[in-house]
Amino acid sequence: MRTSLGEKILDLAVSGFLWGFRILIVLIVVLGTFLTIRAGKYTGEQWIDFLVFGISQGSIYALIALGYTMVYGILRMINFAHGEIFMSGAFGGYFIATWLTVIGFMDKYPVLGLIASMLFGMLISTLIALLVERIAYRPLRGAPRLVPLISAIGASFFLQYTFRGFFGPGVYAYPSMKALEGQWNFFGIGILKVQIVVAIAAFIMMAILYSIVMFTKIGKAMRAVSENKDVAALMGIDVNRIIVTTFALGAAMAGAAGVLYALTYRQVNFFTGFTPGIKAFTAAVLGGIGNIPGAMVGGLVLGIVESVGPALFLDSLGIPRPYQLKDAIAYIMLVMILLFRPSGILGERVSKKA
Amino acid sequence: MMMKKDYLIWIAIKTGLLSGVIAIFLCLIGMVEVFSKRDVIEKIITLGDFILLATAVSAGVIAARATSNPEQQKQPLKNLIAGALAGITTGVVIAAFIGLSQQINLRSVFLSASPSLFDLLTFKGGTNWIWMYPAIGMAAGLLGTILFLLPEKFRQPITRAIFITFLLALFSGLFRVVMINQSDNIAKAGKYLFGQTGLTLSGAIIFFVAVVSISMFWSAESTNLQKGFARIPKKGQTGVRVVVFAILAYMVLMLPQVSGPFIAQVIVIVSLYALMGLGLNITLGFAGLLDLGFVAFFAVGAYTVGLLTSYGIFGLQHVSFWVAVPIAVLVSMMFGAFLGLPVLGVRGDYLAIATLGFGEIVRLLAGSDFLAPFFGGPQGIIGIQKPCLGTLGEFVRVDVPRICNGLEFAGPKEIYYLAVASAILIAFIALRLQRSRLGRAWMAIREDEDVAEALGINLIQTKLLAYMLGAAFAGLGGAIFTVLVGSIFATSMQLIVSINVVSLIIVGGMGSVPGVIVGAIALIGLPELLREVSEYRFLFYGAALIMMMLAKPEGLWPSQATLRELHHDDSGEDSEIASTKSSQAKA
Amino acid sequence: MAVILTAKKVIKRFGGLVAVNSVDFDIPEKSIVSIIGPNGAGKTTFFNCITGFGKIDEGEISFEGTKIHRLRPDQITHLGISRTYQNIRLFPDMTALENILVGQHLFLHSSWISAVFNTPGVRTEEKMALAEAQRLLNYVDLKGKGDMLARNLPYGAQRRLEIARALATKPKLLLLDEPSAGMNPRETEDLTAFIHRIRDELGISILLIEHHMRVVMGISERITVLDYGEKIAEGTPKEIQSNPRVIEAYLGRGASTAGMANAHERFSESKSKSG
């Protein structure tokens, strides 16, 4: 073999580095967890609080991630403007919720009011998503991969600053809903009502979406298009219509997520969509992009790790304010998953081909 | 085939409705109101009026275009009807919007639907004057149609003149300030042409006429001129080139002295983005590796220089900038390898998200309390020693800058030279690399990784080199950024920087070195200069990205490969035609 | 004659599917050898095993006495094996000349630093590389097409360019995956002559996957038949033509009684139609 010494060293360095990196992370996780649990700084109740918050947050991520994953599955494009679609849903929900609160409807029928807000948020974000698809994405189908990505980035900026123009740079405080204040007690453990409601609503939405995709004719067509557009078109499926439907469904989920997110954090402004958008995309990749159950699992895992991780892994390692690093934990987990299992948790092994 | 009449009317009305909606959109995002405080031509037309008029004019153009059959002659009457109708519809929509606003309080939802906006739109006369909108709309629509109907020879110079005059009007404050700082005569001319908030009437007329005549002259005479240049003997040609180059070089050298610190600062920022763009152009443009966390390398360069030179509490070594820069570049390179190694096997969009993660991790760690003892955490690193040509005084104590005996690169006017020189140097290096064996290997990987490997290219080595050199360029950018700002905060290393860099190299033309520079000027420089309308910077930015991808996805200055392709598309067809002809001849 | 490549009991699995099953295989030096078999017989998979694209699960492959089955593709190319692809895989956005220059990568040694300074060494090396690339272009009859983007070349020219690119790596063994696919009879004839030329003039051994029976029978010195990943026959074209197992594999049980010559005609006809 004519390989030079340098090359051999390089090869060794590569594999050594990879293994070193993996081992280091595993070590931190195991050691941190061990020390934290031994130290017993947090009570069981606090752990459950973390967990419930993680699930509620994660279910929102999951809802947003569905839009990323469905669009990716069909068009192989990262819909970078999806975070803004989410934000527009939160704004739509805000105006209805405020109005319903002012006229007193919200206090009388909180469930109906919540549903109305969500529906309106979904409507707004669906409309915006369809506009974006028509103007910024449809003419670019079949263009090289990066072209629609840049167009999507452009759409993202445009939407953000359109909303800033409409509603100003300030933060809008969501109206407080009496029905969602306070806690519910389960076996002596108090859990915030908002979190439970958010998680339940998110799971219902996911179930609806999943049944649409799995059990309806249009869902079947969507799956066919994501397998192979050309063949699906030959089978008489109107591919254009399916793509539009996919955008609409994804946007509706994001709109619902927007309202739920705003309920949790009680505020919305034009920049609200950015970080959750990136996080949800991370979740989609985590679960295996293009894979619908993957997005749900990815979202939940991300939410839980973000919420539990800082306390569990880092606190006892002497790291001050571990909560500052919750996003870093999320991204490190993402990188780890991509290294160990490049296709995500539930994905097929496609990343090597893509 | 004649078009049906009702069809014509429908097209015109549809166009008018659309442009009316756009006009309302511009009102509701507050643009009209904000822009009405700026002038295009002083005392004649404000920027706000201008954009409203522009919607109606473009409605006229579009309606005229849509109603003319490309295969036939232009049909002026039909086009004029359509244009006028589109303009009227635009006016009616705006008028309806104003009327509606008198009935219901739009402001409860839309912040910008303020009384002052409607004062502006109604000329403070309630609904008394809104009948003017259809009339103005019709005039504007007709104007657009006439513009469309003009023969090519006139249309192009006129549209060009409108566009350039408009640009000059946007930047007129800038030009005015620059010219007023010069000798008396120039200052006078500046005041004559440029007003405080827009062009003066005389300035606008002068520029308009000048551009029209130059442009008409050029389109008539350009071939002659080129021929004339070709007739000059070889030596003479080189001479002309040298002179042009010398003039350019002189302008580059003198610019900061003439223009003052603001423009110098803008150019520095453009150069820094160009440096990052050149770096990413290696990883993404050449090797096809999409990196969305590129700001990490910028951060590494910045922090290295900061830590090595700062006279604040986090300063480690107190070396001079010139010692710190090569170290920063080396450290960035190593960091490029460090981040490149784990993702060697990751491809496509997975790579994009993994690198995005890296970028965020770097920012979060650098700004965290966890690493605050080293990197200053949220407080950042301050007190970074400015570069000094000459001898640098001894380090006395913390928070006291060292004294520079010689030329200190204190502000943007001096750092300008540093940044521009670096950008030129790196662009040169990138060009050399592109044409080298390594450049070909990168492009092979971009085109088909498996085949490249099967041709004997070591993927690990080649990809790592792409990451390392890209990181080195970005690190240099970071190093200069640090001394420009004099401090480092993790919050300036946002994801948005990486996104801007990706956008600028694609808008410039992927894989094209001059494209990176053009992209940086277009996406970073222009918005920076338009600070005054900063609220809408990113709105324009976003719209420009979308329109760019729709109209010219190959970029403003495509790489040679793309140009060759365009060129050869014809010759390729030719050769095929030739071959079919010859085969026919054989048969 | 000396053997240049030996495969011993090579097994390659994809999940439960055994794509290549315990195949023994030799290529004598400076010979033209073909692998044939029905679609899905594992021919291209076997190619991929030799060139390092897919790691084999069992057995060993050695080239000139060096075991290569654990090496990366670029290392295998370094040793002297090069290939083309069934569905042409040129670098579409690079020019014809650049495609060949990439193939010469292994023999150019200038580092990136010397490239930045454009040292005299780099300049002479580039000049020689360009001359060699031009020579190869001429060799495959693409003179003057060097500046065209690969994607704009006509189909036949793309096939030849791919071969030129493979030759640029100075291989001792050249693997051609269905080189005649999509060619008309006349082009096929030229190709056959061309393959002969490569072997005779450059002394390169050639391994061929081919569906076109006329090509296979015309130029191969030995033929190996794969079916369902197993080697079912091996021998000279004459021997293969009369081998009942081969006929059965191609045409199904019972067909072996029919005249072999007819069967071949039908087979190649149907192939060229579908191709």
Side-chain angles (χ1 to χ4, degrees), chain A residues 1-3 7 11, chain C residues 71-72 75 78-79:
Chain A
M1 199 48 232
R2 279 181 284 170
T3 37
E7 234 176 81
D11 284 2
Chain C
L71 299 180
R72 288 193 314 265
Q75 294 170 320
H78 209 159
L79 290 174

Side-chain angles (χ1 to χ4, degrees), chain B residues 111-280:
Chain B
L111 210 64
S112 306
S114 61
S116 55
L117 171 74
F118 290 108
D119 280 350
L120 201 77
L121 288 176
T122 56
F123 316 105
K124 294 196 179 158
T127 48
N128 296 334
W129 292 97
I130 58 171
W131 57 267
M132 275 183 60
Y133 277 94
I136 299 175
M138 184 171 89
L142 284 174
L143 187 70
T145 319
I146 292 168
L147 209 59
F148 172 78
L149 286 173
L150 281 177
E152 179 82 14
K153 208 172 85 187
F154 298 107
R155 189 178 56 196
Q156 221 184 11
I158 288 178
T159 35
R160 202 175 282 162
I162 293 176
F163 183 68
I164 291 178
T165 314
F166 176 63
L167 274 187
L168 286 169
L170 276 185
F171 296 116
S172 68
L174 224 58
F175 288 116
R176 186 182 157 96
V177 169
V178 169
M179 287 177 84
I180 281 177
N181 289 332
Q182 312 304 317
S183 67
D184 273 354
N185 281 336
I186 299 182
K188 252 185 218 157
K191 277 182 193 161
Y192 182 66
L193 296 171
F194 301 105
Q196 299 278 4
T197 61
L199 292 174
T200 58
L201 181 59
S202 41
I205 293 171
I206 289 172
F207 285 126
F208 186 83
V209 172
V211 176
V212 169
S213 32
I214 291 174
S215 152
M216 284 178 73
F217 173 75
W218 180 252
S219 60
E221 297 291 323
S222 68
T223 44
N224 283 344
L225 285 176
Q226 275 166 5
K227 270 183 202 153
F229 181 73
R231 248 182 273 131
I232 302 172
K234 200 89 195 216
K235 247 186 201 161
Q237 282 188 25
T238 346
V240 172
R241 287 213 180 90
V242 167
V243 170
V244 170
F245 182 76
I247 292 173
L248 276 179
Y250 180 75
M251 279 166 68
V252 169
L253 279 175
M254 291 311 292
L255 191 78
Q257 309 308 326
V258 177
S259 68
F262 174 65
I263 291 188
Q265 166 130 355
V266 169
I267 296 178
V268 171
I269 291 172
V270 168
S271 306
L272 296 182
Y273 268 96
L275 279 175
M276 272 197 281
L278 288 166
L280 186 64

Side-chain angles (χ1 to χ4, degrees), chain C residues 5-269:
Chain C
L5 183 118
T6 326
K8 278 191 205 136
K9 299 224 175 310
V10 170
I11 298 179
K12 170 79 190 171
R13 301 187 191 93
F14 292 114
L17 178 82
V18 185
V20 175
N21 194 1
S22 198
V23 169
D24 288 313
F25 184 71
D26 288 330
I27 302 176
E29 227 171 273
K30 296 190 177 130
S31 61
I32 300 179
V33 176
S34 293
I35 301 180
I36 62 170
N39 283 330
K43 304 180 298 276
T44 298
T45 308
F46 188 63
F47 252 45
N48 289 344
C49 293
I50 295 176
T51 50
F53 268 116
K55 296 279 165 273
I56 61 175
D57 293 303
E58 278 173 48
E60 63 173 60
I61 302 175
S62 46
F63 179 71
E64 294 190 311
T66 315
K67 293 200 173 69
I68 59 169
H69 55 270
R70 286 189 212 292
L71 299 180
R72 288 193 314 265
D74 57 301
Q75 294 170 320
I76 293 173
T77 310
H78 209 159
L79 290 174
I81 300 181
S82 193
R83 69 172 292 184
T84 67
Y85 301 85
Q86 189 175 348
N87 40 352
I88 306 173
R89 284 173 82 172
L90 288 165
F91 303 121
D93 281 332
M94 296 170 82
T95 63
L97 209 61
E98 282 170 337
N99 265 279
I100 299 182
L101 284 171
V102 172
Q104 286 174 283
H105 186 83
L106 279 175
F107 307 101
L108 308 178
H109 299 286
S110 60
S111 72
W112 66 269
I113 297 174
S114 53
V116 166
F117 289 106
N118 201 16
T119 57
V122 172
R123 268 179 277 165
T124 42
E125 193 184 79
E126 282 291 301
K127 217 177 267 170
M128 281 164 63
L130 265 176
E132 168 73 6
Q134 285 291 0
R135 199 186 62 75
L136 279 167
L137 265 183
N138 296 348
Y139 190 74
V140 297
D141 222 3
L142 287 173
K143 194 173 183 174
K145 301 270 169 80
D147 279 338
M148 282 185 71
L149 286 190
R151 67 151 105 209
N152 292 337
L153 287 170
Y155 183 81
Q158 291 194 3
R159 283 257 173 232
R160 275 176 288 150
L161 178 60
E162 207 186 21
I163 295 177
R165 186 181 66 183
L167 289 176
T169 67
K170 300 193 182 149
K172 295 170 193 154
L173 171 63
L174 180 61
L175 279 62
L176 302 175
D177 198 342
E178 294 201 33
S180 80
M183 285 187 170
N184 62 33
R186 161 125 210 179
E187 287 170 325
T188 310
E189 227 166 85
D190 290 346
L191 179 83
T192 316
F194 182 57
I195 293 174
H196 260 296
R197 241 176 84 203
I198 293 175
R199 197 268 306 264
D200 298 343
E201 292 177 11
L202 308 175
I204 295 172
S205 320
I206 287 170
L207 174 61
L208 202 66
I209 291 179
E210 191 50 79
H211 273 310
H212 211 285
M213 282 306 143
R214 230 179 239 144
V215 178
V216 173
M217 297 302 162
I219 59 173
S220 310
E221 280 141 22
R222 293 178 66 78
I223 296 175
T224 299
V225 188
L226 291 186
D227 190 23
Y228 292 110
E230 284 185 52
K231 185 166 87 176
I232 57 171
E234 191 169 36
T236 61
K238 274 255 158 60
E239 291 165 5
I240 295 298
Q241 276 179 12
S242 50
N243 186 321
R245 276 196 74 187
V246 177
I247 300 167
E248 191 184 304
Y250 266 107
L251 301 171
R253 201 168 291 277
S256 54
T257 51
M260 185 63 195
N262 274 343
H264 274 307
E265 284 310 311
R266 283 210 309 257
F267 175 68
S268 55
E269 262 171 39

Side-chain angles (χ1 to χ4, degrees), chain A residues 72 145 165-166 321 324 339, chain B residues 111-112 342 347 349 353 369:
Chain A
Y72 190 90
R145 201 166 51 91
F166 281 161
R321 308 219 189 117
Q324 286 179 339
L339 291 187
Chain B
L111 210 64
S112 306
R347 288 186 189 183
D349 296 329
I353 190 74
D369 284 333

